[in-house]
Amino acid sequence: MQGRSFKTNEITQEISDNTRIFRLLGSDRSSRRDPKTEAGNRSLSLPRVVVLESRPTDNPTAHSNLYILAGHENSY
């Protein structure tokens, strides 16, 4: 699982857990400007909140854990 900057797409956090299977269940999206384009007028859709499910690798039919992950941006 990786956390990335909304502005630069740079990896800000990385979590690895080989004992769990993660699945993206859904996300909301908000239209944002792409800072890498020359004119800055091409918009792209970036998730602000994602919902993940995880299950044990050794028992994929076991009950799952749900995660609601919300990002933030520095205001300075």
Side-chain angles (χ1 to χ4, degrees), residues 13-58:
Q13 183 177 5
E14 190 164 15
I15 301 169
S16 179
D17 186 352
N18 295 328
T19 66
R20 310 227 29 107
I21 299 167
F22 290 92
R23 183 170 67 121
L24 177 66
L25 297 179
S27 69
D28 72 336
R29 298 213 173 250
S30 67
S31 183
R32 302 285 308 245
R33 297 274 178 207
D34 184 352
K36 295 179 183 175
T37 60
E38 293 176 25
N41 60 3
R42 193 178 99 194
S43 65
L44 65 121
S45 188
L46 298 172
R48 295 294 203 135
V49 176
V50 296
V51 179
L52 296 176
E53 172 190 53
S54 77
R55 295 179 188 266
T57 304
D58 61 353

